[in-house]
Amino acid sequence: MNFLETNLVKLLFILLVLESCSSIKFNDETIIHKNEVYEDGRLLSNSPVNFIITTQSNKKFLGIPLGKILYESSSINPNDKFDLWVQKKLNRRKKLEDLISNKQINALKNYISKFNEWLRKTGEPPAYLKKNDIETSKKRIVQYYKNLGYYNVKVSVDSIRIKEKKIILKYKIEPNQKYLIESIIAEIESPQLKTLYDANKKKQIIIKGEPFEVYKFEKERERLFLLFKNNGIYNFQQNSVQFTAAIDSSGNDLNIPVKIKIEDIKKRVNDSIKTIPYKKYKIDEVLVFVDDSKNDFAKYSDSINYKDFKIYSKGKLKFKPKSITSGINVKKGKFYSDEDRNLTFRYFNNLKNFKYPSINYELSPNKESLIASIYLNPKERFSLGFDLDLSHSNIQDFGFGIGGGLGIRNLFSGTEILELNLKNTLGASRDIAQNDDKFFNLFELGADLKLTVPRILVPFNKKTLVPSIMSPKTEIILGTTLQENIGLDKQFFTGSYQFDWKPKKEQKIQFKLIELEFVNNRNLINYFNVYRNSYDRLNKIAKLYNGKTEILNQTGDLLIPDGTSAFINDVLNNETILNIDDNDYKTVNTIKERYDRLTANNLILGSSLNLNLNSQKSIFDENFYQFRLKIEWIGNLLNQFLKFSNSNKNNLGQYVLGGVSPSQYIKTEIDYIKHWSFGRERVIAFHAFTGLAIPYGNSNNIPFSRSYFSGGANDNRAWKAYKLGPGSSSNINEFNEANFKLAFNLEYRFAITGSLKGGLFIDLGNIWNLWDDVESDDMKFNSLEDLSEIAIGSGFGLRYDFDFFVFRFDTGFKTYNPSLEINERWWSEYNFRSAVFNIGINYPF
């Protein structure tokens, strides 16, 4: 750090101290320490009534009102205070200008002002007790209980002073008895509405004999509105439903008769009131306008009749009629339905070929039916996008990526979409020697091509198999990636033929009929440069048993790759003093097996099924669950074909295709998330995951890309990614993985102040090898007793909500480490020295 930077830091520190010294001070008003709410003497901790009172106290983190402290650390007029500080001493301005420029002084002033704004925005004003707040809170509580049917509720408030300027407010509620619904009488003017009402009375939300609760009447009004709007009453108005109740003001009679009154539309015509009866309307005609010129028929030069639709276009129609009409649920001869209208909207939005559509209804000339007009405004056929990424990792010191995407809509006139994406990444690494001394010595090029068709493309498919109401689509995806000087310089080739559809709004199914992945490792000689833990273990053994100096470098370490290969061969061919019963011999053999596994090329060809359930209604819904079930079956057909065609086998007895042994396994995953909201930004989140991949037939293990790992910012946060497990092994590899995983996470999330949130968490889980070729007992799952090897991490986190994403910083502590000796597993590494710090974007589950 140079002289100027040092002085700037000192100056900034002084100014921050000055800011804190000039913070807002307590005034003489009373501060609310906390509220306590009692119902018939019982303390309410998580009742909604706690959050409707207006005398809220300051939020606390570990008993400390951090938001209040931040707010009080700010200044009311930071610019004026800065100017006063500069002018306080005669030569201070001149000394500052000698130290830094006048422009930098103004920038520093602006920074302090912005920092002050952040303090006030993030912080929380002191919770002063204001005039009339208690009375307002009492009225709110009374109304809340009335809405629940308690019309004789009584509320009193006691204040307990715990310090000179701090009080505790105790709200005491006596609800008394609930009022009940004595009877329900419906007076409905329209005969057709009356018929619909009577036919659906079993679904009624307000029920005779149950408590008189206001929110149920609102739900009943909404139920009736949807009932009528989805059964032909296109002009039904929600305010036509009126409820009247005769409540005994004396409180003696707790039974309330209820009357539901639904009148026809009253419309003023000149000086008289005209009654328009509600009745059911059918759709007489469906018109589709492509190019969205509304009702200006003169602008449309072409029209065609397709089934029960009439399609208007400007010039020749560029879309196949079937692709437009197959998802329209508004059909000729059907009664009007809001649900059909919404499903039609969803269909066109999922096509991604049109801007937001509009659907209008008007009475036909005979006034007895409806004409539906659908207006479609096509998006631009071609779209082009670019992106630029800057990156840094343990592999590269600096890297940047340039990408671009081309989209073509309505490719074959059936609303298909073709997308081509390219990504080129260049990176610089000082760890890689280059003879020509190139700065950018890392290279990665990737491309993928995706065709999306809004229907299920199979020869035997019929519309009834997956109807358009389920938003079906077929995706054909091809992709490839080429690496240079990155790891083993892998080449990836991927392809899939998959179907997606939504049986219900909260359900999604994906079926990959063909799933292909081919991994080609082109730089095997770089293995021990990448997997340094394996090299260090091998090199340590070589220093004890190697007798060949020609395979060592000048420092006495094994050369890569010639020295490592030669020493492994010497050990396994019994050309050293090691024998098969020695632990070091077994270690070398394990290193060789892992080398063969991670350098082997993989051919994965099979199918998979993915089922997703999500009850979350919106991003603001914090009481929901998510469930995901995935099943993969890989290699069955391909290996059967190789078997019947008498293909060649390798030295392990596995069938090979082009020198590669195709993988064969079945894999199942279950993922479950559940959130419980406790109000005021307090949430308990639970996550459970289990996955098992079983190799068989042509495989003894699972490809590395399809195996499981544990640890990391979204898993067990007390361990780094790939550093936990398998089993009780002491994570001896750079990338520890296995074919069986269990993971459980429990997290309590709460608000600290403003956009700053907090979290306390417990993470449990591990990975094991099960029914594969790993022989080490400490890495295998042999029985239920191995559940004692589930690692436990716990910790806390800070999260800052930027509205469009959440920045997350979590600290995880190893609470129970199964890799240690049994008597040392609990709490022995529960300290900051062994803690793992995780940075993530958004919440992990």
Side-chain angles (χ1 to χ4, degrees), residues 5-31:
E5 290 173 332
T6 302
N7 283 281
L8 281 173
V9 171
K10 290 180 180 178
L11 180 60
L12 181 59
F13 175 76
I14 292 170
L15 291 175
L16 290 176
V17 170
L18 287 171
E19 281 297 303
S20 64
C21 291
S22 60
S23 62
I24 299 172
K25 305 299 182 183
F26 285 101
N27 59 25
D28 294 331
E29 296 183 72
T30 301
I31 292 207

Side-chain angles (χ1 to χ4, degrees), residues 175-222:
N176 296 313
Q177 288 182 289
K178 270 190 174 185
Y179 282 70
L180 304 177
I181 298 173
E182 180 185 57
S183 61
I184 302 172
I185 299 174
E187 295 182 357
I188 303 173
E189 293 184 355
S190 167
Q192 294 190 8
L193 289 190
K194 180 71 165 113
T195 301
L196 284 171
Y197 175 85
D198 291 339
N200 292 273
K201 193 178 277 189
K202 289 183 178 179
K203 298 178 182 178
Q204 193 165 271
I205 296 173
I206 54 172
I207 300 173
K208 177 182 176 181
E210 290 196 353
F212 186 92
E213 297 174 336
V214 173
Y215 79 94
K216 287 187 177 180
F217 285 83
E218 292 302 318
K219 286 190 173 183
E220 176 66 7
R221 187 195 306 274
E222 184 179 353

